[in-house]
Amino acid sequence: MQGLRAPPDDLSVLERQGACLLNWQQQGREQSNYNPRGGGYCRQMQTSFQALPSGCGGEKNANHGDVHGSIDCFSNGWPDLANIRYPVHGAANVEETSITNVSSNSSRKRKADKSPRSKEKENGGGGKGDSSCKRIKEETGGGATSETGQPNKKEAASGDASKKNDKPPKTDCIHVRARRGQATDSHSLAERVRRERISQRMKYLQDLVPGCSKITGKAGMLDEIINYVQSLQRQVEFLSMKLATASPLMDINIDNIFGREINPSCKSGSTAMIGMSSELLDQSYLRFDSLQHPHPCSGLDTFMDSSDLVLRQNVNPPVAVPDASFGSSFDVNGCSVWSTNLQSLYGVDFQQGRGAALPF
Amino acid sequence: MESKSSTTGNRDNPNRNLHGSKTMMASHFLRALFRIQQTSTSSSSAGRSRRIRRAAYASMAYSAGTRRAWSRALLRKLRSRARLRFPRRLSRAATPQRRDMDQAQVLRKLVPGGPSMDDCKLLEETADYIRFLTTQVRLMQTVMDSISS
């Protein structure tokens, strides 16, 4: 590791760790992966720990069951770090807290905060010892092991907890933080991760499925989701049947429009038509709210609200459709039939399709 | 023939805006509809409705692309020319009792590609599937309304 050197013994452990962190940050900024940091950190840890009476020598230092590495997501980058156990002594309380801080601040996003944090750690102390801060943050187990009942650990845990509360999880790695009084072995941590994920997705589905805001509980939600999907599929069938029976009417309209499509010289017309469709979809997507019961006219109501029903045919398309490559040559005749049908469905101002971001 | 930015917009946009895929969906579906009109004027309306339904799911799957497990499974089903079978109504066996574990199974049957997913992925795919389904339904309703007005 280029920037790292064994700190002199006269420095306090904390200062050494501050140096560690600074080196770390520099390295982390140069390289985007964790490997150098992990390796360097380990080395630093070892050198720092040599001063401590417990004499932790290596990575697999079995210790008073405290900081138990369970950083699965760093398994490739931090193989050593995952197994590091930090010695706990009465004297080393403060150092351990800062160490656990350091390890717990291993997320990329929190790089900048590391050195100030480690300093403030000791002062922060047992601010929020009862770590009800359930972050999705996998720790080196600093907080988790507080329950093992050693007073030293407790402080470490509480310190960690206060630390965690300050920093919102911004990483995209899976980090899990064990709650107070919960089991901390890797199996239950993984279970917790899984449950968190599932509850996240259930919440998203709750927003997606209309009328589910009052339903709590997985079973009820799943029932609703199943019903909704089934009703949607039934609607597709129903609508396809209706379209099949109503299709003779369509011939008249679509022939003219799709005639343009087949004609290679008039691509713009067809793209314009497709742009219109997208606009229609935007409107329907945005205003369609009664999807639960198949009501064919409900969508129509929302479309009829605009009094200005002019379909711009020769003009540049509205700015709101940036992705439709409208040509300037828009055949009036061919599209007039379509436009008369669509006029009733067209509003002048429509919004872009708002995309609900999937949180995952 | 689709607008270019529809596909690129989808991939670049981390928020997965449905806008681009809506355009694709609409164009694909309308073209398919037109083709069905032209080629099956003499066939029964049941056969036509089956084809239209198939076209609806096809346009859903094409606009969703291969990013999603459900769209991949749907595309596979369509390409193999298998008869698209959808659970049209609650299967009688499942209706009387539905416990937690059965619910996941029922959901797996509904969502294409369901059986090969774990619960977490299943919920994610279900959410995406629902989004595209609602868009497709709205599209079909819009077309329906426009030709019947």
Side-chain angles (χ1 to χ4, degrees):
Chain A
M1 296 295 120
Q2 297 84 336
L4 299 174
R5 45 180 171 74
D9 284 338
D10 52 356
L11 279 184
S12 77
V13 178
L14 283 172
E15 286 169 296
R16 268 181 247 152
Q17 275 147 17
C20 280
L21 292 172
L22 289 173
N23 291 332
W24 221 350
Q25 289 175 15
Q26 289 156 12
Q27 279 202 339
R29 283 193 191 113
E30 287 152 12
Q31 304 156 22
S32 58
N33 55 6
Y34 285 99
N35 288 337
R37 288 168 61 197
Y41 180 64
C42 290
R43 231 160 285 150
Q44 284 294 336
M45 295 300 298
Q46 291 175 22
T47 50
S48 334
F49 277 135
Q50 269 155 21
L52 300 171
S54 80
C56 89
E59 292 117 19
K60 315 265 193 223
N61 202 14
N63 219 322
H64 323 274
D66 46 1
V67 183
H68 163 68
S70 52
I71 317 173
D72 293 340
C73 74
F74 294 148
S75 56
N76 45 1
W78 303 55
D80 306 331
L81 189 58
N83 290 321
I84 279 189
R85 312 251 176 159
Y86 310 120
V88 176
H89 326 272
N93 253 356
V94 168
E95 286 106 20
E96 199 207 37
T97 49
S98 48
I99 289 166
T100 53
N101 265 345
V102 158
S103 60
S104 56
N105 296 338
S106 48
S107 79
R108 297 177 256 207
K109 302 275 174 75
R110 302 214 232 116
K111 256 189 298 196
D113 298 332
K114 276 193 191 121
S115 39
R117 297 283 180 165
S118 65
K119 301 294 193 277
E120 107 189 26
K121 253 307 301 262
E122 305 103 54
N123 312 334
K128 302 205 186 133
D130 314 339
S131 50
S132 54
C133 62
K134 177 146 185 199
R135 305 272 206 79
I136 312 257
K137 172 125 177 87
E138 225 174 34
E139 291 303 311
T140 51
T145 57
S146 66
E147 289 78 68
T148 54
Q150 305 217 3
N152 305 335
K153 309 298 191 321
K154 181 119 199 273
E155 179 162 347
S158 54
D160 261 345
S162 63
K163 200 120 170 241
K164 290 307 153 260
N165 286 337
D166 300 338
K167 290 182 284 183
K170 289 178 223 137
T171 70
D172 41 33
C173 285
I174 310 283
H175 297 275
V176 168
R177 172 141 188 122
R179 271 207 204 107
R180 184 189 177 78
Q182 285 188 341
T184 62
D185 56 319
S186 62
H187 290 298
S188 37
L189 275 175
E191 264 297 306
R192 208 168 303 124
V193 171
R194 184 178 155 270
R195 262 180 269 139
E196 282 278 333
R197 276 202 220 140
I198 287 185
S199 68
Q200 260 186 337
R201 281 147 175 78
M202 292 292 286
K203 266 194 225 120
Y204 182 71
L205 277 165
Q206 216 174 17
D207 298 331
L208 215 48
V209 179
C212 272
S213 44
K214 343 173 184 63
I215 297 180
T216 54
K218 213 166 109 171
M221 269 306 299
L222 277 176
D223 266 335
E224 279 302 314
I225 292 167
I226 289 174
N227 283 335
Y228 191 57
V229 173
Q230 279 171 340
S231 87
L232 283 175
Q233 288 179 338
R234 263 182 265 136
Q235 279 188 52
V236 170
E237 275 201 50
F238 173 71
L239 282 168
S240 64
M241 255 185 350
K242 281 188 73 176
L243 280 171
T245 56
S247 50
L249 291 168
M250 268 201 320
D251 287 330
I252 308 164
N253 306 329
I254 292 186
D255 270 343
N256 294 335
I257 292 115
F258 281 106
R260 307 278 149 222
E261 173 189 345
I262 297 168
N263 185 359
S265 66
C266 192
K267 285 198 170 60
S268 56
S270 43
T271 52
M273 192 264 307
I274 290 162
M276 284 191 278
S277 318
S278 75
E279 291 167 353
L280 291 172
L281 287 176
D282 290 346
Q283 285 189 317
S284 64
Y285 190 68
L286 293 169
R287 301 188 205 164
F288 197 86
D289 46 13
S290 60
L291 195 54
Q292 269 176 335
H293 38 279
H295 190 223
C297 293
S298 56
L300 195 57
D301 296 335
T302 62
F303 288 126
M304 299 293 258
D305 55 358
S306 166
S307 54
D308 187 349
L309 302 175
V310 177
L311 176 64
R312 312 237 168 99
Q313 295 175 344
N314 295 328
V315 88
N316 296 330
V319 186
V321 185
D323 60 339
S325 50
F326 272 97
S328 53
S329 64
F330 192 116
D331 193 345
V332 177
N333 291 338
C335 297
S336 60
V337 180
W338 184 257
S339 67
T340 48
N341 289 327
L342 290 184
Q343 261 180 7
S344 57
L345 306 161
Y346 230 34
V348 171
D349 64 326
F350 57 90
Q351 309 152 34
Q352 282 307 300
R354 104 209 114 106
L358 269 171
F360 25 81
Chain B
M1 209 293 235
E2 290 96 52
S3 39
K4 298 187 252 321
S5 52
S6 63
T7 38
T8 51
N10 240 351
R11 283 185 208 130
D12 299 346
N13 192 346
N15 289 336
R16 296 201 221 158
N17 193 342
L18 264 191
H19 187 66
S21 42
K22 278 188 256 175
T23 315
M24 272 183 73
M25 204 189 285
S27 69
H28 187 282
F29 184 63
L30 290 166
R31 268 184 282 150
L33 219 45
F34 178 63
R35 253 181 280 134
I36 291 171
Q37 285 313 307
Q38 280 192 317
T39 59
S40 65
T41 42
S42 55
S43 64
S44 69
S45 83
R48 250 209 312 265
S49 81
R50 263 202 304 272
R51 295 177 64 179
I52 293 179
R53 189 184 73 177
R54 191 188 171 96
Y57 283 103
S59 59
M60 264 176 69
Y62 276 114
S63 60
T66 49
R67 282 181 285 109
R68 284 286 170 184
W70 67 265
S71 63
R72 285 194 296 265
L74 204 46
L75 286 170
R76 240 178 282 138
K77 236 199 290 193
L78 290 164
R79 280 182 191 148
S80 73
R81 301 288 183 184
R83 281 187 64 108
L84 276 184
R85 272 181 221 102
F86 295 94
R88 301 175 51 185
R89 48 185 65 101
L90 303 175
S91 57
R92 296 120 202 135
T95 321
Q97 8 169 314
R98 257 199 274 179
R99 307 276 175 263
D100 270 28
M101 26 201 160
D102 292 339
Q103 284 178 324
Q105 271 187 325
V106 174
L107 197 54
R108 282 208 177 86
K109 269 190 265 177
L110 288 177
V111 177
S116 61
M117 292 183 216
D118 58 341
D119 283 351
C120 195
K121 190 106 176 25
L122 179 68
L123 290 178
E124 193 181 328
E125 297 287 320
T126 305
D128 205 59
Y129 187 57
I130 286 178
R131 283 173 79 197
F132 276 83
L133 257 184
T134 51
T135 310
Q136 179 68 43
V137 166
R138 284 172 191 166
L139 165 66
M140 290 173 82
Q141 275 171 334
T142 307
V143 173
M144 192 66 224
D145 297 336
S146 71
I147 67 174
S148 63
S149 65

